[in-house]
C-alpha cells in the first residue's frame, strides 16, 4: 500500500520532510503471494533509493522485532480487511510509546483513538478494504498530519506517544488477554 504510488511518496518526502522506511517480516516458503509482495518492496526500494531510504530486515525474529518495536517513530500496518488476526506488533510498539498508523482492522478497531493514540488509514471499520480510499487516506495523513507534526510540532507528537502508552499499552497486556480468554471463551458456557 505504501508503495502503490512511489512518485507521490517521493514528492511527500521532498516537500514535507525526510522519510525512511524499515520493513520486517517474512513469507512462508510456499506463500507465493507473500514472496511476490516482498519482491515488490525491493523493486520500489530500488526506484526510491535516492530520496526515501528503505531497508528490509531479513530473518525477522524476536531479537529484531524488539529493536523495531522500540526504535521506530510510527508503526505502519496495512493489512487487507478483514484479514488482520490481531496486530500484536502494534501493541508491542504502543508499549514503547510508538503510535500506529494502521488500517482499521484487528486490534486497531478498538485501539485507535484518532489523533490521540495514532491514526487510522481509512475511516470505517465495517466494510472490506477499499484500496483506493485507503491509499488516498494513507498518503494524506502522512503528508498533512503526521510528518508535519513530527518535524514541526514535536511536543504534540510526544503527547501522542504518551497517550499510546497511557491508553493502549495499559490495556493491551497479556494479563488482559488471558482474563478475556477465560471469561469469554473457556468459562463462557
Ligand atoms: C510480534 C511478532 C510477530 C507478530 O506480528 P504481527 O504484526 O502481530 O502479525 C511475528 N513475529 C515476531 C518475531 C514478533 O515479535
Amino acid at each position: 500500500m505504501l508503495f502503490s504510488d512511489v512518485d507521490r511518496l517521493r514528492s511527500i518526502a521532498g516537500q514535507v520532510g525526510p522519510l525512511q522506511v524499515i520493513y520486517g517480516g517474512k513469507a512462508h516458503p510456499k506463500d507465493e503471494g507473500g514472496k511476490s509482495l516482498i519482491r515488490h518492496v525491493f523493486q520500489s526500494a530500488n526506484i526510491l533509493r535516492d530520496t526515501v531510504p528503505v531497508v528490509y530486515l531479513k530473518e525477522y525474529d524476536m531479537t529484531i522485532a524488539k529493536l523495531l518495536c522500540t526504535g521506530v517513530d510510527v508503526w505502519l500496518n496495512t493489512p487487507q480487511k478483514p484479514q488482520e488476526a490481531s496486530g500484536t506488533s502494534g501493541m508491542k510498539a504502543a508499549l514503547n510509546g510508538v503510535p500506529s498508523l494502521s488500517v482499521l482492522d484487528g486490534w486497531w478497531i478498538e485501539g485507535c483513538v484518532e489523533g490521540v493514540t495514532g491514526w487510522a488509514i481509512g475511516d470505517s471499520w465495517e466494510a472490506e478494504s477499499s484500496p483506493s480510499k485507503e491509499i488516498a487516506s494513507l498518503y494524506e495523513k502522512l503528508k498533512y498530519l503526521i510528518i508535519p507534526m513530527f518535524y514541526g510540532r514535536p511536543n504534540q507528537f510526544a503527547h501522542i506517544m504518551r497517550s499510546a502508552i497511557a491508553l493502549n499499552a495499559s490495556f493491551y497486556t497479556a494479563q488482559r488477554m488471558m482474563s478475556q480468554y477465560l471469561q469469554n471463551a473457556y468459562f463462557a458456557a
Side-chain angles (χ1 to χ4, degrees):
M1 187 188 286
L2 183 66
F3 292 150
S4 51
D5 187 345
V6 285
D7 292 332
R8 181 117 190 244
L9 197 62
R10 187 190 282 119
S11 90
I12 292 173
Q15 285 172 20
V16 193
L19 194 62
Q20 65 180 353
V21 183
I22 306 171
Y23 274 91
K26 53 189 170 192
H28 185 275
K30 289 183 181 161
D31 176 7
E32 288 308 323
K35 289 198 284 190
S36 115
L37 271 177
I38 294 175
R39 275 193 290 274
H40 184 241
V41 168
F42 274 84
Q43 285 159 2
S44 308
N46 194 37
I47 298 171
L48 286 164
R49 66 183 179 281
D50 296 326
T51 36
V52 180
V54 179
V55 293
Y56 201 107
L57 299 177
K58 286 194 290 187
E59 308 296 341
Y60 190 64
D61 60 7
M62 297 242 291
T63 313
I64 291 179
K66 190 174 169 189
L67 295 169
L68 211 54
C69 291
T70 56
V72 299
D73 299 308
V74 174
W75 195 263
L76 179 69
N77 191 28
T78 56
Q80 257 175 31
K81 289 193 285 187
Q83 311 218 51
E84 177 57 87
S86 173
T88 334
S89 52
M91 303 175 195
K92 293 186 284 195
L95 276 155
N96 292 283
V98 175
S100 283
L101 167 62
S102 170
V103 168
L104 286 169
D105 199 9
W107 84 293
W108 199 230
I109 296 170
E110 296 167 82
C112 177
V113 184
E114 181 68 19
V116 177
T117 59
W119 304 269
I121 298 172
D123 47 26
S124 71
W125 59 269
E126 300 98 339
E128 300 220 331
S129 276
S130 149
S132 59
K133 276 192 199 159
E134 286 175 5
I135 289 165
S137 166
L138 168 64
Y139 289 134
E140 279 164 23
K141 291 207 176 162
L142 282 174
K143 179 174 178 179
Y144 295 108
L145 224 58
I146 302 169
I147 302 176
M149 188 193 299
F150 183 82
Y151 287 113
R153 299 188 302 281
N155 288 336
Q156 196 179 346
F157 198 90
H159 188 72
I160 292 182
M161 295 174 71
R162 287 193 292 271
S163 302
I165 298 173
L167 299 177
N168 287 161
S170 65
F171 183 72
Y172 290 94
T173 60
Q175 167 77 35
R176 189 269 323 164
M177 175 190 73
M178 282 311 300
S179 63
Q180 283 191 339
Y181 270 125
L182 287 176
Q183 261 172 30
N184 302 338
Y186 302 138
F187 294 152

